[in-house]
Amino acid sequence: MAPFPVQGVVEGDFVVLLVAVDDEDPMSVVAEKIAYHAVNRRVAAREGSPRVRHNGKELAPDETVVTAGVAPLDVLEVSYA
Amino acid sequence: MPRLARSEWYDLTRDMNWKLSYVTEEEAWPEDLSNSYGVPAERWWTWDEPYKITYSEYVHNQVNKDTGVYSVNSVVGRSKLFEQLDPGWKAAILAHYGAIAIPEYLASIAEARMGRFGRAAAWRNMATFGTLDETRHGQIQTYFPYGLLAKEPRADWAHKALHTNEWGAIAARHLFDDMFTANDAVSTAIQLTSTFETGFTNLQFLGMAADAMEVGDLEFSALISSIQTDEARHAQQGEPTIKVLVENGRADVAQKLVDHMFWRSWHVFALLTGLSMDYYTPLEHRSHSFKEFMNEWIIKQFMDQFRDFGLEKPWYWEEHFLPELDWYHHALHLGVWYWRPTVWWNPDGGVSAEERDWLEEKYPGWNDTFGKHWDVISDNVRRGKPELTLPETFPMVCNMCQIPVVTPAGYNAGHLASPAPFLLDYQGRRYSFCSEPCRWIFEQNPARFQGHLSIVDQFLAGKIQPPTMEGALAYMGLSPEEMGQDAVNYAWAFTTRPAAAVAS
């Protein structure tokens, strides 16, 4: 378990965020941690579960930061599509 | 005793050029301080300033300018004028003082460097006047806010800002170090005087002076108008410098220096002037939108300059610069307002129903791209949820301009292919940029920029303790009393129409 910085972009938001996740967090948790800083704050609440894209590929909800091969300060895009 | 006309003696007395014999050219003009870009020494002696002035004329003019502007200061200081100014306008002038006053002092270093290391005597003569100008500008723009301290303690940031690690101050310091305190004389003439002063300070000092008169801020209007009269003179050092380079086959050098600094200046002025003109200036006193000012004062100016000098438009002009006029400063305003505890002024949301109508008229599509964020924010204000309008983490910051990365706003507005930042992995370190031109500037000279740690890099390196928002605010030098708050206590949120009404 170690803090892990990523660059988070929430669909519909206007800014790239520095978000601290944990390297053993599954993507379902990572998505919530990133979305927390934008949804209901600057982006209207959305239906459904947030998903994470990394380098153009959607990551499975149970993949962790480590198993997905995410590097520090990689860009993770969160969407609700 | 009969006096000679100036034209009969001016050229003789200012031309103190001679061939060196006791020292080498490199010893007298080291490249780090005065890069000739390969143009031989005697070719520089053709440098001819378009605006000629003698020392006695200079002193006479400056005394009159100071007499006028300090008289206004004295009268206004005894009045209630400042107290009666709109809170949004106060944000505009406090932001200006913090970002500009000390850099004016720094600009006197730049002028002094050209006064010593300029490559022609005529140039060194003109730069000596420029040194005196910038000293005056530093003094006057710290003295006037000093007089406001009893009425507005944040005016202290006119002197304080550039001595802190506040993020906007870092952005200003990084820009001005690149442009002049850490630049050689030839590059300074092109980047500071020709690119920055002839274009962007025109916008800040003449555009803002016009707005100040509309608002009724006679003091600020008189102050910056007075400064601009000096800028208009010493800014002309760039033109003959470019001319020498172009005539000696180094147009490529001039082009790259302009391309580099035009982009950097644009980003800082979008942050400073864009917000002031389109959000902080009271609606009834806005003479133009920021974009209209940019078109009138900057774009035309530079298009004429490119044509006259035989330079090209910067490579990013059509694809990156012109599109950003429609979205970039709107995103920065949203960011500055949301992260308002991190700035030394009180940002005005500036999005009442009438202001939103004006924004939509000036920037068609504003409601779809930016209004929807303000809908959520306004709703949280009205529901009594102010905690949702305040940050709990940081935005990423561009490793070139040091300004938050707002690429998702450009993507939402249809101007960028992706919301992701522009990345560069270089010698084992990841750099993030807000734009293709900022990355390009870095790649032109990585050694110049790669060692700098942005405020986010410093946070990640453990230099900000505790590693929390509170720790970061303390690191930036902001006491709770100084942190920005909404300028009008969210009054705009209670006039905003529901999103459905806006859409219809």
Side-chain angles (χ1 to χ4, degrees), chain A residues 7 12-18 36-37 40-42 44 73-75 77, chain B residues 331 338 373 380 390 392-394 396 405-406 408-409 412 421 430 432:
Chain A
Q7 304 194 52
D13 198 14
F14 79 101
V15 67
V16 180
L17 298 164
L18 174 68
Y36 171 81
H37 294 288
N40 282 327
R41 291 168 178 268
R42 299 175 300 274
L73 292 182
D74 269 3
V75 179
E77 297 180 41
Chain B
Y338 199 86
H373 300 302
N380 284 329
L390 289 163
E392 294 184 48
T393 189
F394 307 96
M396 286 301 295
V405 178
V406 290
N412 294 339
R430 166 153 294 180
S432 298

PDB file of all heavy atoms in Angstrom, chain A residues 7 12-18 36-37 40-42 44 73-75 77, chain B residues 331 338 373 380 390 392-394 396 405-406 408-409 412 421 430 432:
ATOM      1  N   GLN A   7      -2.710  11.960 -12.720  1.00  0.00           N
ATOM      2  CA  GLN A   7      -3.396  13.134 -13.266  1.00  0.00           C
ATOM      3  C   GLN A   7      -4.804  12.700 -13.651  1.00  0.00           C
ATOM      4  O   GLN A   7      -4.969  11.844 -14.524  1.00  0.00           O
ATOM      5  CB  GLN A   7      -2.658  13.674 -14.492  1.00  0.00           C
ATOM      6  CG  GLN A   7      -1.199  14.016 -14.216  1.00  0.00           C
ATOM      7  CD  GLN A   7      -0.589  14.852 -15.335  1.00  0.00           C
ATOM      8  OE1 GLN A   7      -1.132  15.876 -15.726  1.00  0.00           O
ATOM      9  NE2 GLN A   7       0.567  14.425 -15.828  1.00  0.00           N
ATOM     10  N   GLY A  12     -16.267  16.087 -18.806  1.00  0.00           N
ATOM     11  CA  GLY A  12     -17.095  17.284 -18.630  1.00  0.00           C
ATOM     12  C   GLY A  12     -16.472  18.347 -17.757  1.00  0.00           C
ATOM     13  O   GLY A  12     -16.959  19.476 -17.729  1.00  0.00           O
ATOM     14  N   ASP A  13     -15.401  18.008 -17.013  1.00  0.00           N
ATOM     15  CA  ASP A  13     -14.757  19.012 -16.167  1.00  0.00           C
ATOM     16  C   ASP A  13     -13.809  19.865 -17.024  1.00  0.00           C
ATOM     17  O   ASP A  13     -13.578  19.567 -18.203  1.00  0.00           O
ATOM     18  CB  ASP A  13     -13.987  18.327 -15.025  1.00  0.00           C
ATOM     19  CG  ASP A  13     -13.658  19.299 -13.881  1.00  0.00           C
ATOM     20  OD1 ASP A  13     -14.236  20.393 -13.841  1.00  0.00           O
ATOM     21  OD2 ASP A  13     -12.806  18.945 -13.044  1.00  0.00           O
ATOM     22  N   PHE A  14     -13.252  20.926 -16.410  1.00  0.00           N
ATOM     23  CA  PHE A  14     -12.463  21.870 -17.208  1.00  0.00           C
ATOM     24  C   PHE A  14     -10.973  21.813 -16.925  1.00  0.00           C
ATOM     25  O   PHE A  14     -10.190  22.485 -17.587  1.00  0.00           O
ATOM     26  CB  PHE A  14     -12.951  23.302 -16.941  1.00  0.00           C
ATOM     27  CG  PHE A  14     -12.440  23.888 -15.647  1.00  0.00           C
ATOM     28  CD1 PHE A  14     -11.385  24.782 -15.643  1.00  0.00           C
ATOM     29  CD2 PHE A  14     -12.983  23.511 -14.434  1.00  0.00           C
ATOM     30  CE1 PHE A  14     -10.886  25.308 -14.459  1.00  0.00           C
ATOM     31  CE2 PHE A  14     -12.493  24.023 -13.242  1.00  0.00           C
ATOM     32  CZ  PHE A  14     -11.447  24.917 -13.248  1.00  0.00           C
ATOM     33  N   VAL A  15     -10.563  21.015 -15.928  1.00  0.00           N
ATOM     34  CA  VAL A  15      -9.186  21.116 -15.455  1.00  0.00           C
ATOM     35  C   VAL A  15      -8.612  19.721 -15.198  1.00  0.00           C
ATOM     36  O   VAL A  15      -9.368  18.782 -14.929  1.00  0.00           O
ATOM     37  CB  VAL A  15      -9.146  21.986 -14.169  1.00  0.00           C
ATOM     38  CG1 VAL A  15      -9.855  21.295 -13.002  1.00  0.00           C
ATOM     39  CG2 VAL A  15      -7.733  22.393 -13.779  1.00  0.00           C
ATOM     40  N   VAL A  16      -7.279  19.610 -15.291  1.00  0.00           N
ATOM     41  CA  VAL A  16      -6.602  18.350 -14.958  1.00  0.00           C
ATOM     42  C   VAL A  16      -6.223  18.408 -13.482  1.00  0.00           C
ATOM     43  O   VAL A  16      -5.639  19.391 -13.021  1.00  0.00           O
ATOM     44  CB  VAL A  16      -5.330  18.162 -15.819  1.00  0.00           C
ATOM     45  CG1 VAL A  16      -4.643  16.840 -15.465  1.00  0.00           C
ATOM     46  CG2 VAL A  16      -5.679  18.195 -17.301  1.00  0.00           C
ATOM     47  N   LEU A  17      -6.570  17.338 -12.743  1.00  0.00           N
ATOM     48  CA  LEU A  17      -6.391  17.335 -11.293  1.00  0.00           C
ATOM     49  C   LEU A  17      -5.232  16.432 -10.873  1.00  0.00           C
ATOM     50  O   LEU A  17      -5.004  15.379 -11.470  1.00  0.00           O
ATOM     51  CB  LEU A  17      -7.668  16.835 -10.621  1.00  0.00           C
ATOM     52  CG  LEU A  17      -8.917  17.680 -10.856  1.00  0.00           C
ATOM     53  CD1 LEU A  17     -10.163  16.879 -10.488  1.00  0.00           C
ATOM     54  CD2 LEU A  17      -8.846  18.970 -10.055  1.00  0.00           C
ATOM     55  N   LEU A  18      -4.525  16.857  -9.844  1.00  0.00           N
ATOM     56  CA  LEU A  18      -3.572  15.980  -9.170  1.00  0.00           C
ATOM     57  C   LEU A  18      -4.352  15.201  -8.119  1.00  0.00           C
ATOM     58  O   LEU A  18      -4.949  15.807  -7.222  1.00  0.00           O
ATOM     59  CB  LEU A  18      -2.472  16.808  -8.503  1.00  0.00           C
ATOM     60  CG  LEU A  18      -1.486  16.024  -7.633  1.00  0.00           C
ATOM     61  CD1 LEU A  18      -0.623  15.106  -8.497  1.00  0.00           C
ATOM     62  CD2 LEU A  18      -0.606  16.974  -6.824  1.00  0.00           C
ATOM     63  N   TYR A  36     -14.562  12.405  -7.166  1.00  0.00           N
ATOM     64  CA  TYR A  36     -14.920  13.134  -5.943  1.00  0.00           C
ATOM     65  C   TYR A  36     -14.585  14.628  -6.059  1.00  0.00           C
ATOM     66  O   TYR A  36     -15.312  15.479  -5.542  1.00  0.00           O
ATOM     67  CB  TYR A  36     -14.162  12.520  -4.761  1.00  0.00           C
ATOM     68  CG  TYR A  36     -14.269  13.317  -3.476  1.00  0.00           C
ATOM     69  CD1 TYR A  36     -15.399  13.205  -2.658  1.00  0.00           C
ATOM     70  CD2 TYR A  36     -13.252  14.198  -3.093  1.00  0.00           C
ATOM     71  CE1 TYR A  36     -15.500  13.941  -1.492  1.00  0.00           C
ATOM     72  CE2 TYR A  36     -13.346  14.936  -1.924  1.00  0.00           C
ATOM     73  CZ  TYR A  36     -14.471  14.813  -1.128  1.00  0.00           C
ATOM     74  OH  TYR A  36     -14.573  15.549   0.023  1.00  0.00           O
ATOM     75  N   HIS A  37     -13.497  14.945  -6.762  1.00  0.00           N
ATOM     76  CA  HIS A  37     -13.030  16.332  -6.815  1.00  0.00           C
ATOM     77  C   HIS A  37     -13.730  17.169  -7.893  1.00  0.00           C
ATOM     78  O   HIS A  37     -13.435  18.355  -8.022  1.00  0.00           O
ATOM     79  CB  HIS A  37     -11.517  16.367  -7.048  1.00  0.00           C
ATOM     80  CG  HIS A  37     -10.752  15.788  -5.891  1.00  0.00           C
ATOM     81  ND1 HIS A  37     -10.643  16.428  -4.688  1.00  0.00           N
ATOM     82  CD2 HIS A  37     -10.099  14.603  -5.759  1.00  0.00           C
ATOM     83  CE1 HIS A  37      -9.926  15.679  -3.851  1.00  0.00           C
ATOM     84  NE2 HIS A  37      -9.593  14.570  -4.470  1.00  0.00           N
ATOM     85  N   ASN A  40     -20.527  16.924  -8.791  1.00  0.00           N
ATOM     86  CA  ASN A  40     -21.303  17.706  -7.812  1.00  0.00           C
ATOM     87  C   ASN A  40     -20.592  18.976  -7.380  1.00  0.00           C
ATOM     88  O   ASN A  40     -21.091  19.698  -6.513  1.00  0.00           O
ATOM     89  CB  ASN A  40     -21.663  16.887  -6.567  1.00  0.00           C
ATOM     90  CG  ASN A  40     -22.822  15.959  -6.827  1.00  0.00           C
ATOM     91  OD1 ASN A  40     -23.708  16.293  -7.600  1.00  0.00           O
ATOM     92  ND2 ASN A  40     -22.795  14.798  -6.210  1.00  0.00           N
ATOM     93  N   ARG A  41     -19.451  19.230  -7.930  1.00  0.00           N
ATOM     94  CA  ARG A  41     -18.727  20.464  -7.623  1.00  0.00           C
ATOM     95  C   ARG A  41     -18.755  21.383  -8.846  1.00  0.00           C
ATOM     96  O   ARG A  41     -19.141  22.532  -8.757  1.00  0.00           O
ATOM     97  CB  ARG A  41     -17.273  20.154  -7.257  1.00  0.00           C
ATOM     98  CG  ARG A  41     -17.137  19.430  -5.931  1.00  0.00           C
ATOM     99  CD  ARG A  41     -15.733  18.882  -5.732  1.00  0.00           C
ATOM    100  NE  ARG A  41     -15.592  18.238  -4.432  1.00  0.00           N
ATOM    101  CZ  ARG A  41     -15.179  18.847  -3.325  1.00  0.00           C
ATOM    102  NH1 ARG A  41     -14.831  20.115  -3.362  1.00  0.00           N
ATOM    103  NH2 ARG A  41     -15.109  18.199  -2.180  1.00  0.00           N
ATOM    104  N   ARG A  42     -18.314  20.847  -9.973  1.00  0.00           N
ATOM    105  CA  ARG A  42     -18.330  21.625 -11.223  1.00  0.00           C
ATOM    106  C   ARG A  42     -19.002  20.850 -12.357  1.00  0.00           C
ATOM    107  O   ARG A  42     -19.255  21.396 -13.432  1.00  0.00           O
ATOM    108  CB  ARG A  42     -16.894  21.979 -11.649  1.00  0.00           C
ATOM    109  CG  ARG A  42     -16.144  22.814 -10.638  1.00  0.00           C
ATOM    110  CD  ARG A  42     -14.712  23.031 -11.049  1.00  0.00           C
ATOM    111  NE  ARG A  42     -13.958  21.797 -11.205  1.00  0.00           N
ATOM    112  CZ  ARG A  42     -13.334  21.165 -10.212  1.00  0.00           C
ATOM    113  NH1 ARG A  42     -13.376  21.653  -8.993  1.00  0.00           N
ATOM    114  NH2 ARG A  42     -12.675  20.038 -10.445  1.00  0.00           N
ATOM    115  N   ALA A  44     -22.210  18.204 -13.159  1.00  0.00           N
ATOM    116  CA  ALA A  44     -23.464  17.704 -12.591  1.00  0.00           C
ATOM    117  C   ALA A  44     -23.377  16.203 -12.345  1.00  0.00           C
ATOM    118  O   ALA A  44     -22.669  15.478 -13.065  1.00  0.00           O
ATOM    119  CB  ALA A  44     -24.613  18.028 -13.539  1.00  0.00           C
ATOM    120  N   LEU A  73       1.931   9.871 -12.276  1.00  0.00           N
ATOM    121  CA  LEU A  73       1.532  11.024 -13.082  1.00  0.00           C
ATOM    122  C   LEU A  73       1.025  10.645 -14.479  1.00  0.00           C
ATOM    123  O   LEU A  73       0.966  11.489 -15.380  1.00  0.00           O
ATOM    124  CB  LEU A  73       2.654  12.070 -13.186  1.00  0.00           C
ATOM    125  CG  LEU A  73       2.975  12.776 -11.869  1.00  0.00           C
ATOM    126  CD1 LEU A  73       4.068  13.833 -12.088  1.00  0.00           C
ATOM    127  CD2 LEU A  73       1.741  13.456 -11.267  1.00  0.00           C
ATOM    128  N   ASP A  74       0.662   9.383 -14.654  1.00  0.00           N
ATOM    129  CA  ASP A  74      -0.075   9.029 -15.874  1.00  0.00           C
ATOM    130  C   ASP A  74      -1.450   9.694 -15.821  1.00  0.00           C
ATOM    131  O   ASP A  74      -1.959  10.032 -14.748  1.00  0.00           O
ATOM    132  CB  ASP A  74      -0.249   7.512 -15.974  1.00  0.00           C
ATOM    133  CG  ASP A  74       0.899   6.848 -16.737  1.00  0.00           C
ATOM    134  OD1 ASP A  74       1.836   7.562 -17.133  1.00  0.00           O
ATOM    135  OD2 ASP A  74       0.851   5.614 -16.914  1.00  0.00           O
ATOM    136  N   VAL A  75      -2.044   9.835 -16.994  1.00  0.00           N
ATOM    137  CA  VAL A  75      -3.354  10.476 -17.086  1.00  0.00           C
ATOM    138  C   VAL A  75      -4.444   9.407 -17.049  1.00  0.00           C
ATOM    139  O   VAL A  75      -4.428   8.473 -17.841  1.00  0.00           O
ATOM    140  CB  VAL A  75      -3.460  11.301 -18.391  1.00  0.00           C
ATOM    141  CG1 VAL A  75      -4.844  11.956 -18.486  1.00  0.00           C
ATOM    142  CG2 VAL A  75      -2.357  12.351 -18.453  1.00  0.00           C
ATOM    143  N   GLU A  77      -8.542   9.034 -17.292  1.00  0.00           N
ATOM    144  CA  GLU A  77      -9.765   9.750 -17.649  1.00  0.00           C
ATOM    145  C   GLU A  77     -10.969   9.000 -17.094  1.00  0.00           C
ATOM    146  O   GLU A  77     -11.116   7.794 -17.333  1.00  0.00           O
ATOM    147  CB  GLU A  77      -9.872   9.885 -19.171  1.00  0.00           C
ATOM    148  CG  GLU A  77      -8.743  10.714 -19.781  1.00  0.00           C
ATOM    149  CD  GLU A  77      -8.872  10.835 -21.289  1.00  0.00           C
ATOM    150  OE1 GLU A  77     -10.000  11.028 -21.773  1.00  0.00           O
ATOM    151  OE2 GLU A  77      -7.846  10.710 -21.979  1.00  0.00           O
TER     152      GLU A  77
ATOM    153  N   ALA B 331     -11.628  29.425 -18.798  1.00  0.00           N
ATOM    154  CA  ALA B 331     -11.246  28.279 -17.957  1.00  0.00           C
ATOM    155  C   ALA B 331     -10.376  28.755 -16.790  1.00  0.00           C
ATOM    156  O   ALA B 331     -10.548  28.296 -15.654  1.00  0.00           O
ATOM    157  CB  ALA B 331     -10.502  27.242 -18.798  1.00  0.00           C
ATOM    158  N   TYR B 338     -12.496  28.947  -8.299  1.00  0.00           N
ATOM    159  CA  TYR B 338     -12.686  27.725  -7.501  1.00  0.00           C
ATOM    160  C   TYR B 338     -11.544  27.565  -6.486  1.00  0.00           C
ATOM    161  O   TYR B 338     -11.769  27.157  -5.352  1.00  0.00           O
ATOM    162  CB  TYR B 338     -12.776  26.496  -8.410  1.00  0.00           C
ATOM    163  CG  TYR B 338     -13.411  25.330  -7.702  1.00  0.00           C
ATOM    164  CD1 TYR B 338     -14.799  25.173  -7.678  1.00  0.00           C
ATOM    165  CD2 TYR B 338     -12.634  24.410  -6.993  1.00  0.00           C
ATOM    166  CE1 TYR B 338     -15.388  24.135  -6.984  1.00  0.00           C
ATOM    167  CE2 TYR B 338     -13.220  23.372  -6.295  1.00  0.00           C
ATOM    168  CZ  TYR B 338     -14.601  23.240  -6.298  1.00  0.00           C
ATOM    169  OH  TYR B 338     -15.179  22.206  -5.588  1.00  0.00           O
ATOM    170  N   HIS B 373     -20.764  24.656 -15.757  1.00  0.00           N
ATOM    171  CA  HIS B 373     -19.993  24.526 -14.510  1.00  0.00           C
ATOM    172  C   HIS B 373     -20.543  25.496 -13.463  1.00  0.00           C
ATOM    173  O   HIS B 373     -20.686  25.152 -12.296  1.00  0.00           O
ATOM    174  CB  HIS B 373     -18.517  24.843 -14.741  1.00  0.00           C
ATOM    175  CG  HIS B 373     -17.856  23.941 -15.738  1.00  0.00           C
ATOM    176  ND1 HIS B 373     -17.802  22.580 -15.589  1.00  0.00           N
ATOM    177  CD2 HIS B 373     -17.205  24.214 -16.900  1.00  0.00           C
ATOM    178  CE1 HIS B 373     -17.150  22.051 -16.623  1.00  0.00           C
ATOM    179  NE2 HIS B 373     -16.783  23.020 -17.430  1.00  0.00           N
ATOM    180  N   ASN B 380     -24.881  24.855  -5.688  1.00  0.00           N
ATOM    181  CA  ASN B 380     -24.282  24.528  -4.389  1.00  0.00           C
ATOM    182  C   ASN B 380     -24.295  25.734  -3.457  1.00  0.00           C
ATOM    183  O   ASN B 380     -24.521  25.594  -2.252  1.00  0.00           O
ATOM    184  CB  ASN B 380     -22.849  24.020  -4.575  1.00  0.00           C
ATOM    185  CG  ASN B 380     -22.819  22.587  -5.085  1.00  0.00           C
ATOM    186  OD1 ASN B 380     -23.708  21.801  -4.773  1.00  0.00           O
ATOM    187  ND2 ASN B 380     -21.807  22.250  -5.868  1.00  0.00           N
ATOM    188  N   LEU B 390     -15.214  24.720  -2.824  1.00  0.00           N
ATOM    189  CA  LEU B 390     -13.818  24.937  -2.425  1.00  0.00           C
ATOM    190  C   LEU B 390     -12.997  23.679  -2.696  1.00  0.00           C
ATOM    191  O   LEU B 390     -13.506  22.552  -2.610  1.00  0.00           O
ATOM    192  CB  LEU B 390     -13.747  25.307  -0.942  1.00  0.00           C
ATOM    193  CG  LEU B 390     -14.272  26.712  -0.622  1.00  0.00           C
ATOM    194  CD1 LEU B 390     -14.560  26.868   0.865  1.00  0.00           C
ATOM    195  CD2 LEU B 390     -13.271  27.775  -1.090  1.00  0.00           C
ATOM    196  N   GLU B 392     -10.226  20.543  -2.656  1.00  0.00           N
ATOM    197  CA  GLU B 392      -9.603  19.611  -1.713  1.00  0.00           C
ATOM    198  C   GLU B 392      -8.372  18.959  -2.334  1.00  0.00           C
ATOM    199  O   GLU B 392      -7.768  18.074  -1.732  1.00  0.00           O
ATOM    200  CB  GLU B 392     -10.608  18.552  -1.263  1.00  0.00           C
ATOM    201  CG  GLU B 392     -11.751  19.139  -0.447  1.00  0.00           C
ATOM    202  CD  GLU B 392     -12.698  18.072   0.081  1.00  0.00           C
ATOM    203  OE1 GLU B 392     -12.213  17.069   0.644  1.00  0.00           O
ATOM    204  OE2 GLU B 392     -13.917  18.240  -0.085  1.00  0.00           O
ATOM    205  N   THR B 393      -8.074  19.310  -3.558  1.00  0.00           N
ATOM    206  CA  THR B 393      -6.804  18.895  -4.160  1.00  0.00           C
ATOM    207  C   THR B 393      -6.328  20.023  -5.074  1.00  0.00           C
ATOM    208  O   THR B 393      -6.918  21.100  -5.101  1.00  0.00           O
ATOM    209  CB  THR B 393      -6.935  17.573  -4.931  1.00  0.00           C
ATOM    210  OG1 THR B 393      -5.625  17.122  -5.299  1.00  0.00           O
ATOM    211  CG2 THR B 393      -7.776  17.734  -6.202  1.00  0.00           C
ATOM    212  N   PHE B 394      -5.258  19.744  -5.817  1.00  0.00           N
ATOM    213  CA  PHE B 394      -4.638  20.786  -6.643  1.00  0.00           C
ATOM    214  C   PHE B 394      -4.866  20.505  -8.123  1.00  0.00           C
ATOM    215  O   PHE B 394      -4.969  19.352  -8.521  1.00  0.00           O
ATOM    216  CB  PHE B 394      -3.127  20.832  -6.389  1.00  0.00           C
ATOM    217  CG  PHE B 394      -2.796  20.954  -4.948  1.00  0.00           C
ATOM    218  CD1 PHE B 394      -2.497  19.829  -4.191  1.00  0.00           C
ATOM    219  CD2 PHE B 394      -2.802  22.188  -4.323  1.00  0.00           C
ATOM    220  CE1 PHE B 394      -2.209  19.936  -2.847  1.00  0.00           C
ATOM    221  CE2 PHE B 394      -2.518  22.298  -2.976  1.00  0.00           C
ATOM    222  CZ  PHE B 394      -2.225  21.166  -2.234  1.00  0.00           C
ATOM    223  N   MET B 396      -3.239  20.234 -11.831  1.00  0.00           N
ATOM    224  CA  MET B 396      -1.887  20.094 -12.385  1.00  0.00           C
ATOM    225  C   MET B 396      -1.467  21.462 -12.923  1.00  0.00           C
ATOM    226  O   MET B 396      -2.295  22.253 -13.360  1.00  0.00           O
ATOM    227  CB  MET B 396      -1.864  19.063 -13.508  1.00  0.00           C
ATOM    228  CG  MET B 396      -1.971  17.625 -13.024  1.00  0.00           C
ATOM    229  SD  MET B 396      -0.641  17.134 -11.877  1.00  0.00           S
ATOM    230  CE  MET B 396       0.802  17.244 -12.927  1.00  0.00           C
ATOM    231  N   VAL B 405      -3.361  23.454 -15.710  1.00  0.00           N
ATOM    232  CA  VAL B 405      -3.598  22.824 -17.007  1.00  0.00           C
ATOM    233  C   VAL B 405      -5.107  22.699 -17.211  1.00  0.00           C
ATOM    234  O   VAL B 405      -5.782  21.953 -16.494  1.00  0.00           O
ATOM    235  CB  VAL B 405      -2.929  21.439 -17.065  1.00  0.00           C
ATOM    236  CG1 VAL B 405      -3.229  20.764 -18.402  1.00  0.00           C
ATOM    237  CG2 VAL B 405      -1.424  21.564 -16.851  1.00  0.00           C
ATOM    238  N   VAL B 406      -5.638  23.415 -18.177  1.00  0.00           N
ATOM    239  CA  VAL B 406      -7.082  23.434 -18.417  1.00  0.00           C
ATOM    240  C   VAL B 406      -7.423  22.861 -19.797  1.00  0.00           C
ATOM    241  O   VAL B 406      -8.406  23.252 -20.417  1.00  0.00           O
ATOM    242  CB  VAL B 406      -7.660  24.862 -18.249  1.00  0.00           C
ATOM    243  CG1 VAL B 406      -7.622  25.280 -16.782  1.00  0.00           C
ATOM    244  CG2 VAL B 406      -6.910  25.870 -19.111  1.00  0.00           C
ATOM    245  N   PRO B 408      -8.895  20.151 -20.561  1.00  0.00           N
ATOM    246  CA  PRO B 408     -10.263  19.630 -20.730  1.00  0.00           C
ATOM    247  C   PRO B 408     -11.251  20.702 -21.187  1.00  0.00           C
ATOM    248  O   PRO B 408     -12.197  20.400 -21.923  1.00  0.00           O
ATOM    249  CB  PRO B 408     -10.611  19.108 -19.326  1.00  0.00           C
ATOM    250  CG  PRO B 408      -9.295  18.740 -18.730  1.00  0.00           C
ATOM    251  CD  PRO B 408      -8.358  19.807 -19.224  1.00  0.00           C
ATOM    252  N   ALA B 409     -11.048  21.959 -20.776  1.00  0.00           N
ATOM    253  CA  ALA B 409     -11.941  23.033 -21.225  1.00  0.00           C
ATOM    254  C   ALA B 409     -11.798  23.254 -22.731  1.00  0.00           C
ATOM    255  O   ALA B 409     -12.785  23.487 -23.435  1.00  0.00           O
ATOM    256  CB  ALA B 409     -11.649  24.321 -20.463  1.00  0.00           C
ATOM    257  N   ASN B 412     -13.614  20.393 -24.341  1.00  0.00           N
ATOM    258  CA  ASN B 412     -15.074  20.578 -24.267  1.00  0.00           C
ATOM    259  C   ASN B 412     -15.555  21.623 -25.270  1.00  0.00           C
ATOM    260  O   ASN B 412     -16.656  21.540 -25.791  1.00  0.00           O
ATOM    261  CB  ASN B 412     -15.494  21.011 -22.858  1.00  0.00           C
ATOM    262  CG  ASN B 412     -15.234  19.932 -21.824  1.00  0.00           C
ATOM    263  OD1 ASN B 412     -15.105  18.757 -22.159  1.00  0.00           O
ATOM    264  ND2 ASN B 412     -15.139  20.331 -20.563  1.00  0.00           N
ATOM    265  N   PRO B 421      -3.405  16.442 -20.732  1.00  0.00           N
ATOM    266  CA  PRO B 421      -2.296  17.402 -20.883  1.00  0.00           C
ATOM    267  C   PRO B 421      -1.294  16.901 -21.918  1.00  0.00           C
ATOM    268  O   PRO B 421      -1.305  15.730 -22.307  1.00  0.00           O
ATOM    269  CB  PRO B 421      -1.675  17.436 -19.484  1.00  0.00           C
ATOM    270  CG  PRO B 421      -2.075  16.157 -18.848  1.00  0.00           C
ATOM    271  CD  PRO B 421      -3.399  15.758 -19.441  1.00  0.00           C
ATOM    272  N   ARG B 430       8.967  13.192 -15.825  1.00  0.00           N
ATOM    273  CA  ARG B 430       7.767  13.494 -16.608  1.00  0.00           C
ATOM    274  C   ARG B 430       7.423  14.970 -16.472  1.00  0.00           C
ATOM    275  O   ARG B 430       7.343  15.506 -15.363  1.00  0.00           O
ATOM    276  CB  ARG B 430       6.586  12.652 -16.141  1.00  0.00           C
ATOM    277  CG  ARG B 430       5.248  13.142 -16.673  1.00  0.00           C
ATOM    278  CD  ARG B 430       4.228  12.059 -16.791  1.00  0.00           C
ATOM    279  NE  ARG B 430       4.601  11.072 -17.808  1.00  0.00           N
ATOM    280  CZ  ARG B 430       3.875  10.019 -18.120  1.00  0.00           C
ATOM    281  NH1 ARG B 430       2.753   9.783 -17.500  1.00  0.00           N
ATOM    282  NH2 ARG B 430       4.276   9.165 -19.062  1.00  0.00           N
ATOM    283  N   SER B 432       4.520  17.886 -17.679  1.00  0.00           N
ATOM    284  CA  SER B 432       3.155  18.067 -18.192  1.00  0.00           C
ATOM    285  C   SER B 432       2.993  19.509 -18.651  1.00  0.00           C
ATOM    286  O   SER B 432       3.417  20.436 -17.956  1.00  0.00           O
ATOM    287  CB  SER B 432       2.119  17.766 -17.093  1.00  0.00           C
ATOM    288  OG  SER B 432       2.229  16.430 -16.676  1.00  0.00           O
TER     289      SER B 432
END
